[in-house]
Amino acid sequence: MKHIPLSIPHLSGQEIRYVTEALETNWVAPLGPNVEAFEAAMKTYSGAAATLATSSGTAAIHLALATLGVTAGDDVFCQSLTFIASTNPICYVGARPVLIDSETETWNMSPVALRRAMIQAATRGRLPKAVIVVHLYGVVAKIEEIAAICEEYDVPLIEDAAESLGSTVNGRMTGTFGTFGIYSFNGNKIITTSGGGMLVSNDTSLIERAFYLATQARQPVLHYEHTEVGFNYRMSNVSAGIGRGQLEVIEERVEARRTIFNRYVRAFDTVDASHYQQEIEGSRANRWLTALTLPGGMEQRDLLIQQLQQKNIEARPAWKPMHLQPVYRDVPYITANEEDVSRRLFEEGICLPSASQMSFTDQALVIRFVRQGLVEDVRRNVQL
Ligand SMILES: *Cc1c(COP(=O)(O)O)cnc(C)c1O
């Protein structure tokens, strides 16, 4: 039985040219022409004023927090419904995460919950040092509202755009609305460098400071002089070569993933549109992964994933929110009202195979089995 993966690297064929160049010119060591060219290409593509290639997306978030001077005793607000890499860097700098619930339209940070959290924090005289918002599965958060709230309270915004490269609002790229944006080029993302990330900002001086911290905080003198603790967080010239070849086809990859999403929506005609993540007005989602909540809830979700597994089809539950993770059980969690939205999205949410090279026939197979699962569930419920 053929394996149908959730998401895997999809090479353009151009990567080998840049990687070979790096090998032939002995530019294997960190940095070099591919890194510079990849940073320049990402600047053009994202529209951000400055870019810094990093060893991972996680490292880019850590650098963003360190550059902003976030430190022990500080609070950082972070979307709860996300992959743990959004939240962990808050602990790396010794700060405390305060987790914020999602809204049901985009599944991202609820502006209502964010405002509530800000009001509470202001009352206590303990405003956060940063807010981390995520564009989950490539679907754009209510970013303009969120940015406005952050501006009102004068709190820097970090956009975790790890999953949303190519997603836009009125033509503007996600990752460029906040003080910092980060992208990930991990192997499962929409494009990859085999492993890597990018920190971007419209403030060039902030990227200069981040560059300094990412290269062991070395003073600009002849000998090795250090006045601060830095990191070794830069991308290698070989990885950046892969990134250059990948970035050339990003728009094709976005189109492919969007087509896959639209096919699923059309095929599951018994599933109401409200079960999918929605695009807010003027936005374009890259639809990195097609995610939906199943009408039958968690039980149906888990059963379906197991059924698909038996057919060698990889589907996954939606991210388990950070406030439900044992490692973060003691941190505050703020919702818009009595409802815990991100818990429900996790319990009912499923991600379906969305690799950009998935064939029409393979997707038809996935659709058939998912439909079968949905129908079987209806039958079971009727018998009960
Ligand atoms: C993948 C991912 C990251 C981390 O990126 P890495 O390059 O794997 O370190 C951060 N946040 C989110 C939401 C992600 O999906």
Side-chain angles (χ1 to χ4, degrees), residues 85-97:
S86 308
T87 318
N88 282 345
I90 300 169
C91 300
Y92 302 168
V93 297
R96 179 180 74 152

Side-chain angles (χ1 to χ4, degrees), residues 56-58 61 82-83 85-86 134 160 162-163 184-186 189 196 319:
S56 70
T58 312
I61 299 173
T82 185
F83 178 52
S86 308
V134 186
D160 180 345
E163 301 175 358
S184 166
F185 308 112
N186 192 7
K189 298 289 164 29
W319 298 127

